[in-house]
Amino acid sequence: MAVLQKNNYYNIFWGEGSQFITGLDPLGLKASSQGIYSLLLPGITNVSNRIRYYSFYCWLFNYYFENIRDSNPQKQKDFLRKADFILVLLMKSFEPATTNITGSLVAEEVIAKNSGDYFDINEHAIQTGGNKTYFANPFGAFGQFYVGPMKQLQLIKLNKHNQYLCTEDKDVPEVSGEALGKAFKESVGLEVIKVFISTLEEGKLHKKDMKSLYEKFSTSAIKPNSEEWKLILKMILQPDDVISSIEGLDHKSNHRKESITLLLESYTIQDRVNYYTLLDGIYSLTLQDGLKNNDTWNLWFLYTLNDYYQYAAGAIFYSVLKVLEEKPPMIPLTSFIREICESSLKIFLAEGNQKKNDPIEAFVNNESKIETDLINEIDQLNRQNKPFDTIARAFKLFFLLHNSNQAFLTDLKDLTDTFPVLEEGNVLDVLNTIEDYKGDLESFFYDYLLREIIYRHHYNGIRKMRGNQTSLKFILEEGTITFIGNFDFSFSSPRLGTVEDVMEDLKLVKENQLTSLGKEILIQLEKKE
């Protein structure tokens, strides 16, 4: 069997050579959530939590082109990798609990085994064949995690030698990479800069120098109201230039700035837990008061709505696989789906007077709980290993989502016409299917399980295949289904966790509360709205 994708054929072989991998989105439903938060928080990713890396790399590029000036791309890669590894050794030596420091596992191992006076940077940073280094990407942490966001924020660009360099003030309307790099240099100071460069050139990090280097280079050492601090804050609050890359949009927006303002406001909520307090609050307030005349708010509402849906769909898929796992290979697909339907329908109907052959409209407005209650129940039932109960609760959540959002469907469609961020199979597709469905409840269960769970996963898995590597969780063959493996379903990660880390590093937040500086910045942001 061959798959045609992007004008290329990829052969699929089942057999001894097949490699089954976990995969991240087996139903392809997180793609819509990812499309929304990528629009709302450009230049920030789920793996770029430490904002000072941006100014650190800008300083490194400034130094490279002012002092080294070697046009060999490999020379720049080695330079970056050595600087990276020096920083990770400093962080893991003095701030071992700080997360999202790339290369931490190797650094911790190196630190634990080293009993000498210095660390050999070249040994663990420079790629020389099969040696074990701190990170595989040729450009190190920069190449893996920061090059994309820094391009989006217009901090860096490529020259004709395929080397990265900073943008200049004349290149950009707001914060240039050159300016941010100079501000980092000013924050650190020339004396400590000289020690760092000497360490980098020698390839040895002497332990006697580590404390002074750490105090100035730490990712958490951004001084409030310093030039570096001001430029970082200005950078993340500037207009979203990346917006112009989406087809059909030719205007600037401030989604990132408005999202950061919403997040800072959430720290004033009593009993705030994390950013889910913000998302659940946006959802519940919108159900109460309606959509706002604010695209950022409405897009976060749509994100939350879609993520509630994809979480419930993921729970159904996980539960279906749990049942399939106990079955022998190559059982008839239709009889398997019928069994899932009968068992979950029995539980679904146990709390009411309806019957499985009642029309679907008898159920769509029949749920009195709120969404987060059903989500918590889905989680608890799954933990109790009750797959049919989990499926039943997930279907109840589908009908509740329809009931709660029926009045918004037209406006949400208009929103997604303006911002085309949703993929096929998103929550609006499903809610419209419920709205228009003409069959009874049993038929809806069966159709959904077959089309939106079994066939959707099979299509999604085949679409992502390359040769013999697949994330498929079952094999469909001649009307039968055979279990391969399962996966852990979850909510998507909307980059707000990264923004929380950034707010802490900028000293706007501490211990889940706004600092006095954070309150001051929030007042300024709210005045400008």
Side-chain angles (χ1 to χ4, degrees), residues 14 17-26 317 321 457 460-461 464-474 484-488:
W14 299 120
S18 297
Q19 299 177 26
F20 298 105
I21 59 175
T22 302
L24 299 175
D25 187 15
F317 183 48
L321 291 173
H457 170 66
N460 194 58
K464 293 180 178 179
M465 287 187 75
R466 287 291 184 273
N468 290 349
Q469 191 176 76
T470 176
S471 60
L472 284 170
K473 305 305 176 190
F474 53 72
I484 295 176
N486 213 325
F487 81 111
D488 290 327

Short mmCIF file of all heavy atoms in Angstrom, two decimals, residues 14 17-26 317 321 457 460-461 464-474 484-488:
data_model
loop_
_atom_site.label_atom_id
_atom_site.label_comp_id
_atom_site.label_asym_id
_atom_site.label_seq_id
_atom_site.Cartn_x
_atom_site.Cartn_y
_atom_site.Cartn_z
N TRP A 14 3.39 -3.65 6.63
CA TRP A 14 3.14 -4.23 7.94
C TRP A 14 4.04 -5.47 8.06
O TRP A 14 4.04 -6.32 7.20
CB TRP A 14 1.69 -4.66 8.11
CG TRP A 14 0.72 -3.53 7.99
CD1 TRP A 14 -0.28 -3.41 7.09
CD2 TRP A 14 0.66 -2.35 8.79
NE1 TRP A 14 -0.97 -2.25 7.26
CE2 TRP A 14 -0.42 -1.58 8.31
CE3 TRP A 14 1.41 -1.87 9.87
CZ2 TRP A 14 -0.76 -0.36 8.87
CZ3 TRP A 14 1.05 -0.66 10.42
CH2 TRP A 14 -0.01 0.07 9.92
N GLY A 17 9.59 -5.19 10.02
CA GLY A 17 10.32 -3.93 10.04
C GLY A 17 9.53 -2.74 10.54
O GLY A 17 10.06 -1.66 10.63
N SER A 18 8.24 -2.88 10.85
CA SER A 18 7.42 -1.75 11.26
C SER A 18 7.87 -1.19 12.60
O SER A 18 8.17 -1.93 13.53
CB SER A 18 5.95 -2.16 11.35
OG SER A 18 5.47 -2.57 10.09
N GLN A 19 7.93 0.14 12.68
CA GLN A 19 8.30 0.82 13.92
C GLN A 19 7.10 1.60 14.43
O GLN A 19 6.64 2.53 13.78
CB GLN A 19 9.47 1.77 13.67
CG GLN A 19 10.72 1.11 13.16
CD GLN A 19 11.81 2.11 12.88
OE1 GLN A 19 11.85 3.20 13.46
NE2 GLN A 19 12.71 1.77 11.98
N PHE A 20 6.59 1.21 15.59
CA PHE A 20 5.42 1.87 16.15
C PHE A 20 5.88 2.89 17.19
O PHE A 20 6.57 2.55 18.15
CB PHE A 20 4.48 0.83 16.78
CG PHE A 20 3.95 -0.17 15.79
CD1 PHE A 20 4.44 -1.47 15.75
CD2 PHE A 20 2.99 0.21 14.87
CE1 PHE A 20 3.96 -2.38 14.82
CE2 PHE A 20 2.50 -0.69 13.95
CZ PHE A 20 2.99 -1.99 13.92
N ILE A 21 5.51 4.15 16.96
CA ILE A 21 5.92 5.23 17.85
C ILE A 21 4.70 5.80 18.56
O ILE A 21 3.57 5.58 18.15
CB ILE A 21 6.65 6.34 17.07
CG1 ILE A 21 5.74 6.92 15.98
CG2 ILE A 21 7.94 5.81 16.47
CD1 ILE A 21 6.34 8.09 15.24
N THR A 22 4.94 6.54 19.63
CA THR A 22 3.84 7.03 20.46
C THR A 22 2.96 8.04 19.73
O THR A 22 1.75 7.93 19.69
CB THR A 22 4.39 7.65 21.76
OG1 THR A 22 5.16 6.67 22.43
CG2 THR A 22 3.25 8.13 22.64
N GLY A 23 3.57 9.07 19.15
CA GLY A 23 2.79 10.13 18.53
C GLY A 23 2.27 11.10 19.57
O GLY A 23 2.19 10.78 20.75
N LEU A 24 1.93 12.31 19.12
CA LEU A 24 1.50 13.37 20.04
C LEU A 24 0.02 13.72 19.92
O LEU A 24 -0.56 14.25 20.85
CB LEU A 24 2.34 14.62 19.80
CG LEU A 24 3.85 14.48 20.04
CD1 LEU A 24 4.56 15.76 19.64
CD2 LEU A 24 4.14 14.13 21.49
N ASP A 25 -0.56 13.46 18.76
CA ASP A 25 -1.94 13.89 18.52
C ASP A 25 -2.64 12.85 17.65
O ASP A 25 -2.87 13.07 16.46
CB ASP A 25 -1.93 15.26 17.83
CG ASP A 25 -3.31 15.88 17.68
OD1 ASP A 25 -4.24 15.40 18.36
OD2 ASP A 25 -3.44 16.83 16.89
N PRO A 26 -3.00 11.71 18.22
CA PRO A 26 -3.47 10.58 17.41
C PRO A 26 -4.77 10.83 16.65
O PRO A 26 -5.04 10.16 15.66
CB PRO A 26 -3.64 9.45 18.43
CG PRO A 26 -3.76 10.12 19.74
CD PRO A 26 -2.93 11.35 19.65
N PHE A 317 -11.17 7.87 22.76
CA PHE A 317 -10.22 7.06 22.01
C PHE A 317 -9.40 6.18 22.95
O PHE A 317 -9.21 4.98 22.71
CB PHE A 317 -9.31 7.98 21.20
CG PHE A 317 -8.33 7.25 20.33
CD1 PHE A 317 -8.74 6.21 19.51
CD2 PHE A 317 -7.00 7.62 20.30
CE1 PHE A 317 -7.84 5.54 18.69
CE2 PHE A 317 -6.09 6.96 19.50
CZ PHE A 317 -6.51 5.91 18.69
N LEU A 321 -9.46 2.02 23.11
CA LEU A 321 -8.24 1.21 23.04
C LEU A 321 -8.08 0.31 24.26
O LEU A 321 -7.57 -0.81 24.15
CB LEU A 321 -7.02 2.12 22.88
CG LEU A 321 -6.90 2.86 21.54
CD1 LEU A 321 -5.75 3.85 21.57
CD2 LEU A 321 -6.73 1.87 20.39
N HIS A 457 -8.57 8.41 13.41
CA HIS A 457 -7.22 8.03 13.83
C HIS A 457 -6.48 7.29 12.72
O HIS A 457 -5.29 7.54 12.49
CB HIS A 457 -7.27 7.15 15.08
CG HIS A 457 -5.92 6.56 15.40
ND1 HIS A 457 -4.85 7.32 15.78
CD2 HIS A 457 -5.47 5.27 15.35
CE1 HIS A 457 -3.79 6.54 15.96
NE2 HIS A 457 -4.14 5.30 15.70
N ASN A 460 -5.41 9.82 10.16
CA ASN A 460 -4.37 10.67 10.70
C ASN A 460 -3.04 9.93 10.80
O ASN A 460 -1.98 10.47 10.48
CB ASN A 460 -4.79 11.19 12.09
CG ASN A 460 -3.92 12.33 12.57
OD1 ASN A 460 -3.82 13.37 11.92
ND2 ASN A 460 -3.31 12.15 13.72
N GLY A 461 -3.10 8.66 11.23
CA GLY A 461 -1.89 7.86 11.35
C GLY A 461 -1.26 7.56 10.00
O GLY A 461 -0.04 7.64 9.83
N LYS A 464 0.51 10.60 8.45
CA LYS A 464 1.79 10.98 9.05
C LYS A 464 2.89 9.94 8.86
O LYS A 464 4.01 10.13 9.31
CB LYS A 464 1.60 11.23 10.55
CG LYS A 464 0.73 12.43 10.87
CD LYS A 464 0.59 12.62 12.37
CE LYS A 464 -0.24 13.85 12.70
NZ LYS A 464 -0.39 14.02 14.17
N MET A 465 2.56 8.84 8.19
CA MET A 465 3.54 7.77 8.06
C MET A 465 4.69 8.14 7.14
O MET A 465 4.53 8.88 6.18
CB MET A 465 2.87 6.50 7.54
CG MET A 465 2.01 5.80 8.56
SD MET A 465 1.39 4.21 7.96
CE MET A 465 2.88 3.22 8.10
N ARG A 466 5.84 7.61 7.47
CA ARG A 466 7.02 7.70 6.61
C ARG A 466 7.65 6.31 6.59
O ARG A 466 8.21 5.85 7.58
CB ARG A 466 8.04 8.71 7.15
CG ARG A 466 7.62 10.15 6.97
CD ARG A 466 7.64 10.53 5.48
NE ARG A 466 7.34 11.93 5.28
CZ ARG A 466 6.13 12.42 5.16
NH1 ARG A 466 5.09 11.63 5.26
NH2 ARG A 466 5.94 13.71 4.95
N GLY A 467 7.53 5.62 5.44
CA GLY A 467 8.09 4.28 5.37
C GLY A 467 7.41 3.36 6.37
O GLY A 467 6.20 3.23 6.39
N ASN A 468 8.19 2.77 7.24
CA ASN A 468 7.66 1.79 8.19
C ASN A 468 7.38 2.38 9.57
O ASN A 468 7.01 1.65 10.49
CB ASN A 468 8.64 0.62 8.34
CG ASN A 468 8.69 -0.22 7.09
OD1 ASN A 468 7.87 -0.05 6.20
ND2 ASN A 468 9.66 -1.12 7.00
N GLN A 469 7.58 3.65 9.75
CA GLN A 469 7.35 4.27 11.06
C GLN A 469 5.92 4.78 11.15
O GLN A 469 5.46 5.54 10.29
CB GLN A 469 8.34 5.41 11.29
CG GLN A 469 8.34 5.92 12.72
CD GLN A 469 9.38 6.99 12.93
OE1 GLN A 469 9.20 8.13 12.52
NE2 GLN A 469 10.48 6.63 13.57
N THR A 470 5.21 4.38 12.20
CA THR A 470 3.80 4.75 12.32
C THR A 470 3.43 4.99 13.77
O THR A 470 3.97 4.37 14.69
CB THR A 470 2.89 3.64 11.75
OG1 THR A 470 1.54 4.00 11.97
CG2 THR A 470 3.16 2.30 12.41
N SER A 471 2.48 5.91 13.96
CA SER A 471 1.91 6.16 15.30
C SER A 471 0.54 5.53 15.43
O SER A 471 -0.19 5.83 16.39
CB SER A 471 1.83 7.67 15.56
OG SER A 471 1.00 8.30 14.59
N LEU A 472 0.16 4.66 14.51
CA LEU A 472 -1.15 3.99 14.57
C LEU A 472 -1.25 3.15 15.84
O LEU A 472 -0.29 2.50 16.25
CB LEU A 472 -1.36 3.11 13.35
CG LEU A 472 -1.71 3.84 12.04
CD1 LEU A 472 -1.66 2.87 10.87
CD2 LEU A 472 -3.10 4.48 12.14
N LYS A 473 -2.44 3.16 16.44
CA LYS A 473 -2.68 2.40 17.66
C LYS A 473 -3.44 1.10 17.41
O LYS A 473 -3.66 0.32 18.33
CB LYS A 473 -3.46 3.25 18.67
CG LYS A 473 -2.80 4.57 18.99
CD LYS A 473 -1.37 4.38 19.47
CE LYS A 473 -0.66 5.70 19.70
NZ LYS A 473 0.78 5.52 19.94
N PHE A 474 -3.85 0.90 16.17
CA PHE A 474 -4.48 -0.36 15.78
C PHE A 474 -4.28 -0.57 14.29
O PHE A 474 -3.90 0.35 13.56
CB PHE A 474 -5.98 -0.37 16.12
CG PHE A 474 -6.75 0.80 15.59
CD1 PHE A 474 -7.03 0.93 14.24
CD2 PHE A 474 -7.20 1.80 16.45
CE1 PHE A 474 -7.73 2.01 13.74
CE2 PHE A 474 -7.90 2.90 15.96
CZ PHE A 474 -8.16 3.00 14.60
N ILE A 484 -2.64 -2.30 18.80
CA ILE A 484 -1.18 -2.13 18.78
C ILE A 484 -0.70 -1.51 20.08
O ILE A 484 0.20 -2.01 20.73
CB ILE A 484 -0.74 -1.24 17.60
CG1 ILE A 484 -1.04 -1.91 16.27
CG2 ILE A 484 0.76 -0.95 17.70
CD1 ILE A 484 -0.72 -1.03 15.06
N GLY A 485 -1.30 -0.40 20.47
CA GLY A 485 -0.84 0.30 21.68
C GLY A 485 -1.80 1.40 22.07
O GLY A 485 -2.78 1.65 21.38
N ASN A 486 -1.52 2.08 23.18
CA ASN A 486 -2.37 3.16 23.65
C ASN A 486 -1.55 4.43 23.81
O ASN A 486 -0.37 4.47 23.47
CB ASN A 486 -3.06 2.77 24.97
CG ASN A 486 -4.45 3.37 25.11
OD1 ASN A 486 -4.70 4.49 24.67
ND2 ASN A 486 -5.36 2.64 25.72
N PHE A 487 -2.14 5.46 24.35
CA PHE A 487 -1.45 6.73 24.54
C PHE A 487 -2.13 7.46 25.69
O PHE A 487 -3.23 7.11 26.12
CB PHE A 487 -1.52 7.57 23.27
CG PHE A 487 -2.83 8.32 23.14
CD1 PHE A 487 -2.88 9.69 23.27
CD2 PHE A 487 -4.02 7.63 22.94
CE1 PHE A 487 -4.08 10.37 23.17
CE2 PHE A 487 -5.23 8.31 22.83
CZ PHE A 487 -5.26 9.68 22.94
N ASP A 488 -1.48 8.49 26.22
CA ASP A 488 -2.07 9.30 27.29
C ASP A 488 -2.72 10.54 26.67
O ASP A 488 -2.03 11.36 26.07
CB ASP A 488 -1.00 9.73 28.30
CG ASP A 488 -0.49 8.57 29.13
OD1 ASP A 488 -1.30 7.66 29.40
OD2 ASP A 488 0.70 8.56 29.49
#
